[in-house]
Amino acid sequence: MKNRLPVLFILITVVIDAMGIGLIMPVMPALIQEVEGAGIARAAVWGGILATIFAAMQFLFGPTLGSLSDRYGRRPVLIVSLVIMALDYVLMALAHTIWLLIIGRIIGGITAATQSTSAAYMADISKPEEKSANFGLIGAGFGVGFVLGPLIGGLLAEYGTRAPFWAAAILAAANAVFGYFILPETVTDRIRRPFQWQRANPLGAFANIGALPGLKRLMLITFVYTVAFFVYPGVWAYFGVERFGWGPGMIGVSLGLFGIGIAIVQGVLIRPILNRIGERRAVILGLSIDVVAFVLLAFVTNGWVALALTSLTALGSIAGPALQGIMSRTAADNQQGELQGTVTSINAVATIAAPLIVTQTFWYFTAPTTPFYMPGAPFLLSAVLTIGCIFVFVQTAGPAKARAA
């Protein structure tokens, strides 16, 4: 049990990171209208700005926190970030101007960049052959948080626009206390590395990590795959309304089923799958399943069929942890924080770019002036991008363990 408690802390941290975003989503439109005194259209503009700021901070500070954890340890970075995160939610709960909300999202984006440190901790405590499966646990944590966040946030919103922020603050603070008492440090003098600013910024981290054999292609695949996979949170709600006439309740149920499916696949099924077929085949299988799912969703016209496809789309999520495991085994032990920080930044850039790509595609093929009406066009685009990922991956050599940097 003592050995399992640190893993439990990491998973709770990941769940809180995922919940923290979804928890406040149901109240953000009303909160922005409250502090700005504006209509829903202007609130949507500010909501987009706040989301972009959050993702930009993750991009900028993912490598920094990862490199700090390589130097000073995973434990202080994780615990201090949770404490600051709790204080940030208190700030947002008390904010009465849009500028305080912006400051809150800046701080929140920085503290949420600890995904890299959480993944590095998991890499530290995992044997090489266990890394992909344990990264799958992190993916399962995100799936659970993705389901619980909007659900709890919607329920708490009945008690006011500030209630979800107080709940998020309490969760972050409680987990910080839990980690203080049970989390051992995994960075030893053997793998500790001096902190260098030229490696702790996104561009420097890309250059250093990209120099490892095969990792530049794997990082490209990670970016393109993240853009392709963002079609679900990016246009699913609009697609459901346009194609099936779904209301908010049905859209919430469908996203919840998707999150549950990912949690089951990455938390339970991925380990036996990896043991049976290995990481490289798991990446190819997962990407291939995604291609099939994207193509089917592009043409499906029945909402119940779309719901039935959630199990197939969730199964495709084995590709992410398997790909992350291959990259982790390529980097040296004292580069795990830097690597995971780089991955966080890649995902953040993809999260900034993907909404524009998939929503503009949806708009073009559903607008009254479109030459060819097709609500499922974004899914076809994602299928093409994923096919490109498969093509690049099969030409990439297997991992070769790097020496300490």
Side-chain angles (χ1 to χ4, degrees):
M1 178 61 67
K2 183 178 180 181
N3 293 332
R4 292 179 181 176
L5 287 178
V7 175
L8 178 61
F9 168 81
I10 294 297
L11 295 181
I12 293 175
T13 301
V14 171
V15 169
I16 290 175
D17 280 346
M19 279 184 62
I21 300 171
L23 195 69
I24 64 177
M25 283 177 61
V27 300
M28 285 304 285
L31 177 62
I32 295 172
Q33 286 180 284
E34 179 183 311
V35 300
E36 275 288 281
I40 189 65
R42 183 171 174 81
V45 172
W46 277 113
I49 293 172
L50 293 174
T52 299
I53 289 172
F54 187 89
M57 291 302 103
Q58 284 190 304
F59 163 70
L60 292 173
F61 285 90
T64 303
L65 294 186
S67 291
L68 284 172
S69 75
D70 283 338
R71 170 61 181 89
Y72 298 105
R74 320 293 185 210
R75 174 185 161 90
V77 171
L78 288 169
I79 294 176
V80 171
S81 293
L82 281 167
V83 172
I84 297 175
M85 179 184 292
L87 294 175
D88 175 60
Y89 281 124
V90 172
L91 171 65
M92 295 195 68
L94 299 174
H96 287 283
T97 68
I98 193 67
W99 299 109
L100 282 178
L101 290 179
I102 289 174
I103 293 172
R105 288 292 79 188
I106 291 173
I107 299 172
I110 295 171
T111 56
T114 51
Q115 300 171 26
S116 59
T117 309
S118 297
Y121 191 99
M122 196 68 85
D124 292 341
I125 64 175
S126 304
K127 297 177 182 178
E129 65 274 12
E130 296 174 340
K131 288 185 176 182
S132 292
N134 285 341
F135 287 139
L137 291 177
I138 292 180
F142 273 106
V144 171
F146 182 78
V147 174
L148 293 180
L151 176 62
I152 297 175
L155 293 174
L156 291 175
E158 297 295 323
Y159 300 95
T161 56
R162 312 294 174 149
F165 295 99
W166 290 113
I170 292 171
L171 283 173
N175 199 41
V177 173
F178 177 51
Y180 179 83
F181 287 105
I182 63 91
L183 190 69
E185 183 54 68
T186 57
V187 176
T188 63
D189 290 338
R190 182 183 68 84
I191 64 172
R192 194 180 306 277
R193 192 185 61 185
F195 180 82
Q196 298 174 317
W197 277 112
Q198 62 266 34
R199 305 177 69 147
N201 66 83
L203 297 181
F206 288 153
N208 283 287
I209 293 299
L212 297 176
L215 266 186
K216 192 171 292 184
R217 286 188 175 187
L218 294 178
M219 289 192 297
L220 173 63
I221 294 170
T222 299
F223 173 79
V224 175
Y225 178 64
T226 301
V227 171
F229 204 76
F230 199 87
V231 70
Y232 292 112
V235 301
W236 184 258
Y238 309 102
F239 176 72
V241 172
E242 180 72 18
R243 178 65 93 180
F244 312 124
W246 284 349
M250 196 62 183
I251 291 170
V253 168
S254 64
L255 287 172
L257 289 174
F258 182 62
I260 292 170
I262 289 179
I264 292 173
V265 169
Q266 297 195 350
V268 179
L269 299 182
I270 192 169
R271 196 176 298 270
I273 291 174
L274 290 171
N275 289 339
R276 187 171 184 86
I277 66 176
E279 289 173 334
R280 288 187 61 83
R281 290 181 179 177
V283 171
I284 296 173
L285 175 62
L287 294 176
S288 299
I289 290 173
D290 281 326
V291 170
V292 173
F294 289 145
V295 172
L296 291 176
L297 285 170
F299 295 100
V300 68
T301 57
N302 186 292
W304 292 108
V305 175
L307 286 178
L309 287 173
T310 56
S311 58
L312 181 64
T313 57
L315 187 58
S317 68
I318 62 173
L323 184 62
Q324 196 171 3
I326 293 173
M327 289 192 289
S328 180
R329 290 196 292 112
T330 302
D333 290 339
N334 69 344
Q335 290 181 291
Q336 293 300 319
E338 183 182 19
L339 169 64
Q340 301 306 331
T342 304
V343 172
T344 297
S345 286
I346 290 171
N347 289 333
V349 173
T351 303
I352 294 171
L356 299 175
I357 296 172
V358 296
T359 55
Q360 286 296 310
T361 302
F362 180 82
W363 169 82
Y364 181 80
F365 285 96
T366 57
T369 56
T370 181
F372 186 75
Y373 177 78
M374 188 176 188
F379 293 96
L380 277 185
L381 174 62
S382 292
V384 172
L385 293 175
T386 308
I387 290 172
C389 290
I390 296 173
F391 179 76
V392 174
F393 182 77
V394 296
Q395 298 182 70
T396 303
K401 184 65 178 179
R403 293 178 293 180

mmCIF file of all heavy atoms in Angstrom, residues 206-223:
data_model
loop_
_atom_site.group_PDB
_atom_site.id
_atom_site.type_symbol
_atom_site.label_atom_id
_atom_site.label_comp_id
_atom_site.label_asym_id
_atom_site.label_seq_id
_atom_site.Cartn_x
_atom_site.Cartn_y
_atom_site.Cartn_z
ATOM 1 N N PHE A 206 12.731 21.748 -27.387
ATOM 2 C CA PHE A 206 12.506 21.066 -28.657
ATOM 3 C C PHE A 206 13.832 20.690 -29.306
ATOM 4 O O PHE A 206 13.994 19.589 -29.836
ATOM 5 C CB PHE A 206 11.715 21.956 -29.617
ATOM 6 C CG PHE A 206 10.271 22.135 -29.244
ATOM 7 C CD1 PHE A 206 9.584 23.269 -29.625
ATOM 8 C CD2 PHE A 206 9.607 21.179 -28.503
ATOM 9 C CE1 PHE A 206 8.255 23.446 -29.286
ATOM 10 C CE2 PHE A 206 8.278 21.341 -28.155
ATOM 11 C CZ PHE A 206 7.600 22.481 -28.546
ATOM 12 N N ALA A 207 14.789 21.619 -29.268
ATOM 13 C CA ALA A 207 16.078 21.375 -29.912
ATOM 14 C C ALA A 207 16.823 20.231 -29.238
ATOM 15 O O ALA A 207 17.372 19.351 -29.904
ATOM 16 C CB ALA A 207 16.924 22.642 -29.882
ATOM 17 N N ASN A 208 16.855 20.223 -27.900
ATOM 18 C CA ASN A 208 17.594 19.197 -27.174
ATOM 19 C C ASN A 208 16.938 17.825 -27.272
ATOM 20 O O ASN A 208 17.600 16.823 -27.545
ATOM 21 C CB ASN A 208 17.745 19.595 -25.702
ATOM 22 C CG ASN A 208 18.811 20.646 -25.489
ATOM 23 O OD1 ASN A 208 19.994 20.372 -25.568
ATOM 24 N ND2 ASN A 208 18.384 21.869 -25.242
ATOM 25 N N ILE A 209 15.631 17.785 -27.051
ATOM 26 C CA ILE A 209 14.929 16.499 -27.121
ATOM 27 C C ILE A 209 14.862 16.009 -28.558
ATOM 28 O O ILE A 209 15.006 14.812 -28.841
ATOM 29 C CB ILE A 209 13.516 16.634 -26.521
ATOM 30 C CG1 ILE A 209 13.603 16.899 -25.012
ATOM 31 C CG2 ILE A 209 12.695 15.383 -26.780
ATOM 32 C CD1 ILE A 209 14.271 15.807 -24.216
ATOM 33 N N GLY A 210 14.668 16.924 -29.507
ATOM 34 C CA GLY A 210 14.581 16.537 -30.919
ATOM 35 C C GLY A 210 15.868 15.974 -31.465
ATOM 36 O O GLY A 210 15.877 15.290 -32.494
ATOM 37 N N ALA A 211 16.994 16.244 -30.767
ATOM 38 C CA ALA A 211 18.281 15.720 -31.227
ATOM 39 C C ALA A 211 18.426 14.233 -30.949
ATOM 40 O O ALA A 211 19.292 13.562 -31.535
ATOM 41 C CB ALA A 211 19.425 16.471 -30.552
ATOM 42 N N LEU A 212 17.592 13.690 -30.060
ATOM 43 C CA LEU A 212 17.661 12.248 -29.780
ATOM 44 C C LEU A 212 17.143 11.468 -30.982
ATOM 45 O O LEU A 212 16.200 11.903 -31.656
ATOM 46 C CB LEU A 212 16.828 11.912 -28.533
ATOM 47 C CG LEU A 212 17.304 12.554 -27.226
ATOM 48 C CD1 LEU A 212 16.350 12.217 -26.090
ATOM 49 C CD2 LEU A 212 18.709 12.085 -26.874
ATOM 50 N N PRO A 213 17.731 10.308 -31.277
ATOM 51 C CA PRO A 213 17.373 9.541 -32.471
ATOM 52 C C PRO A 213 15.877 9.210 -32.539
ATOM 53 O O PRO A 213 15.332 8.589 -31.626
ATOM 54 C CB PRO A 213 18.207 8.264 -32.333
ATOM 55 C CG PRO A 213 19.345 8.646 -31.455
ATOM 56 C CD PRO A 213 18.795 9.662 -30.490
ATOM 57 N N GLY A 214 15.245 9.635 -33.612
ATOM 58 C CA GLY A 214 13.851 9.282 -33.862
ATOM 59 C C GLY A 214 12.829 10.147 -33.163
ATOM 60 O O GLY A 214 11.647 10.121 -33.515
ATOM 61 N N LEU A 215 13.242 10.957 -32.171
ATOM 62 C CA LEU A 215 12.259 11.686 -31.385
ATOM 63 C C LEU A 215 11.627 12.847 -32.152
ATOM 64 O O LEU A 215 10.499 13.227 -31.878
ATOM 65 C CB LEU A 215 12.881 12.205 -30.092
ATOM 66 C CG LEU A 215 12.702 11.297 -28.870
ATOM 67 C CD1 LEU A 215 13.225 11.956 -27.617
ATOM 68 C CD2 LEU A 215 11.238 10.935 -28.684
ATOM 69 N N LYS A 216 12.357 13.414 -33.103
ATOM 70 C CA LYS A 216 11.786 14.529 -33.853
ATOM 71 C C LYS A 216 10.538 14.069 -34.614
ATOM 72 O O LYS A 216 9.516 14.763 -34.620
ATOM 73 C CB LYS A 216 12.831 15.091 -34.816
ATOM 74 C CG LYS A 216 12.446 16.434 -35.432
ATOM 75 C CD LYS A 216 13.608 17.039 -36.200
ATOM 76 C CE LYS A 216 14.722 17.441 -35.253
ATOM 77 N NZ LYS A 216 15.840 18.126 -35.950
ATOM 78 N N ARG A 217 10.618 12.906 -35.214
ATOM 79 C CA ARG A 217 9.436 12.373 -35.920
ATOM 80 C C ARG A 217 8.321 12.025 -34.950
ATOM 81 O O ARG A 217 7.136 12.264 -35.233
ATOM 82 C CB ARG A 217 9.828 11.131 -36.725
ATOM 83 C CG ARG A 217 10.624 11.424 -37.981
ATOM 84 C CD ARG A 217 10.791 10.158 -38.799
ATOM 85 N NE ARG A 217 11.448 10.411 -40.068
ATOM 86 C CZ ARG A 217 11.594 9.509 -41.024
ATOM 87 N NH1 ARG A 217 11.103 8.286 -40.851
ATOM 88 N NH2 ARG A 217 12.208 9.817 -42.146
ATOM 89 N N LEU A 218 8.689 11.464 -33.793
ATOM 90 C CA LEU A 218 7.676 11.081 -32.812
ATOM 91 C C LEU A 218 6.972 12.314 -32.255
ATOM 92 O O LEU A 218 5.768 12.284 -31.987
ATOM 93 C CB LEU A 218 8.310 10.272 -31.685
ATOM 94 C CG LEU A 218 8.877 8.905 -32.086
ATOM 95 C CD1 LEU A 218 9.533 8.225 -30.895
ATOM 96 C CD2 LEU A 218 7.788 8.009 -32.674
ATOM 97 N N MET A 219 7.712 13.416 -32.088
ATOM 98 C CA MET A 219 7.092 14.656 -31.622
ATOM 99 C C MET A 219 6.157 15.220 -32.692
ATOM 100 O O MET A 219 5.092 15.761 -32.376
ATOM 101 C CB MET A 219 8.165 15.673 -31.238
ATOM 102 C CG MET A 219 8.914 15.315 -29.957
ATOM 103 S SD MET A 219 9.932 16.682 -29.303
ATOM 104 C CE MET A 219 11.116 16.892 -30.640
ATOM 105 N N LEU A 220 6.540 15.091 -33.965
ATOM 106 C CA LEU A 220 5.668 15.533 -35.054
ATOM 107 C C LEU A 220 4.377 14.727 -35.050
ATOM 108 O O LEU A 220 3.275 15.278 -35.191
ATOM 109 C CB LEU A 220 6.385 15.389 -36.392
ATOM 110 C CG LEU A 220 5.535 15.661 -37.649
ATOM 111 C CD1 LEU A 220 5.064 17.109 -37.657
ATOM 112 C CD2 LEU A 220 6.328 15.340 -38.909
ATOM 113 N N ILE A 221 4.504 13.417 -34.872
ATOM 114 C CA ILE A 221 3.323 12.547 -34.811
ATOM 115 C C ILE A 221 2.434 12.952 -33.646
ATOM 116 O O ILE A 221 1.197 13.022 -33.775
ATOM 117 C CB ILE A 221 3.745 11.070 -34.686
ATOM 118 C CG1 ILE A 221 4.452 10.612 -35.964
ATOM 119 C CG2 ILE A 221 2.536 10.181 -34.397
ATOM 120 C CD1 ILE A 221 5.115 9.250 -35.844
ATOM 121 N N THR A 222 3.043 13.222 -32.483
ATOM 122 C CA THR A 222 2.281 13.630 -31.302
ATOM 123 C C THR A 222 1.477 14.892 -31.588
ATOM 124 O O THR A 222 0.293 14.986 -31.233
ATOM 125 C CB THR A 222 3.221 13.881 -30.107
ATOM 126 O OG1 THR A 222 3.916 12.673 -29.796
ATOM 127 C CG2 THR A 222 2.452 14.346 -28.886
ATOM 128 N N PHE A 223 2.110 15.866 -32.235
ATOM 129 C CA PHE A 223 1.416 17.120 -32.543
ATOM 130 C C PHE A 223 0.250 16.889 -33.498
ATOM 131 O O PHE A 223 -0.882 17.322 -33.233
ATOM 132 C CB PHE A 223 2.400 18.124 -33.151
ATOM 133 C CG PHE A 223 1.742 19.384 -33.645
ATOM 134 C CD1 PHE A 223 1.385 20.383 -32.752
ATOM 135 C CD2 PHE A 223 1.468 19.561 -35.001
ATOM 136 C CE1 PHE A 223 0.771 21.541 -33.196
ATOM 137 C CE2 PHE A 223 0.850 20.709 -35.449
ATOM 138 C CZ PHE A 223 0.498 21.708 -34.547
#
